[in-house]
Amino acid sequence: MTAARLAWFIGLSAIAVRLIAITQPFIDNWSWRESDVAAIARNFLENGFRFAYPQIDWAGNAPGYVGTEFPILPFVVALVYKFTGVHEWIGRFESVLFFAVSLPIFYLLVRRIFNESIALWALVFYSFAPLSIVASRAFIPDVPSLCLSLAGIYFFLRSLADDDRWSYAIASIALSLAILIKGTNAIIGLPMLYLSWERYGISLVRQKRLWISASIAILPAAIWYWHARQIATHYYPYHFFGAGGFEMMNLKWYAEIFWRVVTRSLTPLISLLALAGVLILPRAKYGRVFHWWFGAMVAFVFFLGYGNRHPWYQLPLVPIAAVFAAIFCDEVEMRVHQPFVRQFLTALIVLVLAVLSFNYARAFYTPASSDLYDLALRLRKITPDDARLIAADGGDPTLLYYAHRRGWHFLEANGIWQGPPIDDSEAIANLEGLRERGASYLVFPFRTRWWLDYYPGFAEHLARTSKEIARTPEDAIYKLN
């Protein structure tokens, strides 16, 4: 099989894997993030496609405008909703589509820097790392932004090597969109700086093209995020997505992130191969671009320690680790001269990767928010469309999204979930504050049903001031007087 056909086979297999359970509701381990993006898309559809004012569902009787990344992805999905209706697979497929586009870009990028063998190995690892599989079928902006980052690097490299103006223009636009869609991907500037240095040396500061490219990449993002900050400042719930991530943490915190990355996100196989590959000195010009990207990621994880509690923040490590692992595999192939041994080692690596990826990836598909989903479908039937819900949902907006009702998390402050109440009085005070703001129902899914037993004073107050509509071992629904 030729290299091109093998690359096609790898790519089509990777896409097929991501189409498994493509219609799954947003109830997996990342349900809260997906439900927020899905709510923004549905609110665009229902409230007039006000692009600059994305809305969430957990602001009660307020419009719920929030500061977010450039919302082009939910906006496009909302446009599709006009013709198809609201379906989960549309948002998921958008990520799959961007992943599919990233495959040839990544392959061509690695092949251009190194060789065909490394490009094929890197494509395998990039395609089947568990974090890559899960993120590229989730309705979140991370895979589209990563795709655009890879496109920016590839076309920027072409513009440097071939003096191609079209590649230069495409690279500038791709980088701008990558940062707009996911601001944290601004770290791509460090490997871009490395490429510029390799091409121009110290004279890079005199290259007008580079300054124009930097302006195209940064200025639109700066304008948008300034606008998003204004939205978060002036509108309840005064929320800017990702704003709390800039916090350095303790050593144990970083150790847990490291362990998660080398096991569940990449698999131990890719991690070990990448560790060996990063120590091999690259023989190609521009061969250290992934080292510089890796350095930028290390700094990013360190300085945004709290934000990196979310595994999708480490998604750029997938193509980086894939290249390092591929370099090691290529080195082994060059040193093993017997064809049978090379074929055996190749088959063994692919088999072990398949087993490990399946084992780690399936955990991400677990319906972790099924209790919220089931209760939401019931609420959609028994509550009026204008009902305002207080949801003891642990801060997960999945319940409000699938109930198709606006409301608040419980307990809350400025729309943000504050955790379980300290005592009965705190629960009562929070409930009454929300009742005064228009709340009409209070609901307890399975995860917080125990509150009614643990806080007897609150339960007694609730019995006096509301009507119990439904109460089972799984959940409880109250209509507030």
Side-chain angles (χ1 to χ4, degrees):
M1 184 180 294
T2 64
R5 289 183 178 180
L6 185 55
W8 272 102
F9 175 77
I10 295 168
L12 292 175
S13 300
I15 294 169
V17 167
R18 285 152 176 82
L19 296 179
I20 296 172
I22 193 70
T23 60
Q24 181 187 28
F26 301 125
I27 57 174
D28 50 51
N29 285 335
W30 298 354
S31 61
W32 67 272
R33 183 68 174 100
E34 294 173 296
S35 293
D36 266 340
V37 180
I40 290 171
R42 189 173 64 191
N43 284 325
F44 276 140
L45 174 69
E46 297 177 346
N47 299 328
F49 290 94
R50 300 185 66 191
F51 183 87
Y53 292 86
Q55 295 173 273
I56 43 79
D57 290 338
W58 35 272
N61 51 3
Y65 300 130
V66 289
T68 72
E69 305 95 346
F70 195 63
I72 186 65
L73 302 173
F75 189 84
V76 170
V77 166
L79 291 174
V80 177
Y81 284 169
K82 285 184 68 70
F83 303 98
T84 65
V86 178
H87 301 286
E88 290 90 348
W89 68 265
I90 297 172
R92 293 190 185 278
F93 187 75
E94 185 178 52
S95 290
V96 175
L97 184 60
F98 272 96
F99 169 76
V101 172
S102 76
L103 290 172
I105 293 172
F106 181 60
Y107 174 76
L108 292 173
L109 170 64
V110 179
R111 190 181 69 174
R112 189 177 189 97
I113 297 175
F114 300 103
N115 59 48
E116 198 132 52
S117 173
I118 293 177
L120 287 171
W121 275 114
L123 192 64
V124 171
F125 297 132
Y126 172 68
S127 297
F128 296 103
L131 181 59
S132 173
I133 293 173
V134 177
S136 55
R137 42 92 63 191
F139 191 15
I140 57 177
D142 297 76
V143 165
S145 182
L146 178 61
C147 170
L148 290 163
S149 296
L150 291 169
I153 295 176
Y154 172 66
F155 284 103
F156 187 69
L157 183 60
R158 281 187 52 171
S159 71
L160 294 178
D162 305 335
D163 197 26
D164 183 355
R165 293 185 178 182
W166 281 106
S167 295
Y168 171 78
I170 294 172
S172 302
I173 295 170
L175 290 169
S176 179
L177 287 173
I179 299 171
L180 277 166
I181 292 173
K182 191 75 176 181
T184 54
N185 273 334
I187 62 170
I188 202 68
L190 192 58
M192 303 293 283
L193 179 62
Y194 159 77
L195 293 174
S196 301
W197 177 268
E198 283 291 304
R199 174 64 175 83
Y200 297 110
I202 192 63
S203 66
L204 67 87
V205 297
R206 298 194 300 270
Q207 303 299 317
K208 292 182 180 180
R209 282 189 180 185
L210 298 182
W211 289 107
I212 294 173
S213 181
S215 299
I216 294 173
I218 295 173
L219 289 180
I223 293 170
W224 172 260
Y225 286 112
W226 175 86
H227 165 76
R229 173 58 67 183
Q230 298 306 304
I231 294 293
T233 301
H234 292 96
Y235 293 97
Y236 179 88
Y238 313 112
H239 186 65
F240 189 92
F241 278 68
F246 292 87
E247 182 179 350
M248 291 181 287
M249 307 299 286
N250 57 43
L251 185 60
K252 181 182 177 183
W253 181 274
Y254 293 112
E256 291 175 352
I257 293 175
F258 172 79
W259 184 250
R260 183 182 69 213
V261 168
V262 301
T263 56
R264 287 178 289 170
S265 296
L266 295 177
T267 74
L269 174 66
I270 296 177
S271 300
L272 289 173
L273 295 176
L275 179 61
V278 76
L279 301 176
I280 299 174
L281 294 177
R283 293 180 287 269
K285 188 177 182 180
Y286 305 117
R288 293 184 182 274
V289 63
F290 289 95
H291 291 77
W292 282 78
W293 198 358
F294 178 65
M297 279 299 300
V298 171
F300 168 73
V301 172
F302 179 73
F303 289 108
L304 275 78
Y306 186 66
N308 274 276
R309 68 193 184 277
H310 304 311
W312 52 83
Y313 273 70
Q314 298 101 52
L315 185 62
L317 286 173
V318 173
I320 296 169
V323 170
F324 291 149
I327 290 173
F328 178 76
C329 290
D330 180 66
E331 188 75 15
V332 171
E333 282 187 334
M334 287 192 300
R335 294 177 182 274
V336 175
H337 302 292
Q338 296 83 0
F340 173 77
V341 177
R342 287 203 301 268
Q343 293 169 5
F344 173 77
L345 290 175
T346 299
L348 181 63
I349 291 173
V350 171
L351 178 61
V352 173
L353 176 62
V355 172
L356 290 175
S357 292
F358 174 79
N359 180 61
Y360 285 112
R362 65 177 179 174
F364 290 100
Y365 290 74
T366 302
S369 297
S370 57
D371 62 326
L372 304 180
Y373 178 73
D374 294 339
L375 177 57
L377 297 184
R378 292 171 56 204
L379 287 166
R380 196 163 183 170
K381 293 179 180 179
I382 65 177
T383 61
D385 292 345
D386 61 350
R388 294 292 179 263
L389 308 182
I390 304 174
D393 53 14
D396 188 335
T398 303
L399 188 150
L400 294 173
Y401 174 72
Y402 279 107
H404 204 167
R405 304 289 184 267
R406 304 184 69 81
W408 300 265
H409 301 306
F410 185 61
L411 303 178
E412 71 88 38
N414 287 333
I416 306 301
W417 183 61
Q418 299 299 300
I422 298 173
D423 51 30
D424 294 287
S425 60
E426 184 181 33
I428 293 171
N430 206 272
L431 169 64
E432 292 308 313
L434 294 175
R435 189 202 303 263
E436 291 177 3
R437 290 159 64 183
S440 51
Y441 290 84
L442 172 62
V443 298
F444 293 90
F446 179 76
R447 64 186 62 188
T448 55
R449 171 68 176 71
W450 58 272
W451 288 17
L452 298 172
D453 300 318
Y454 192 80
Y455 302 102
F458 169 70
E460 181 181 348
H461 173 82
L462 192 59
R464 293 196 309 268
T465 60
S466 66
K467 178 182 179 181
E468 187 178 273
I469 295 179
R471 182 165 178 166
T472 70
E474 285 73 38
D475 51 50
I477 306 171
Y478 295 87
K479 187 178 189 307
L480 303 180
N481 295 338

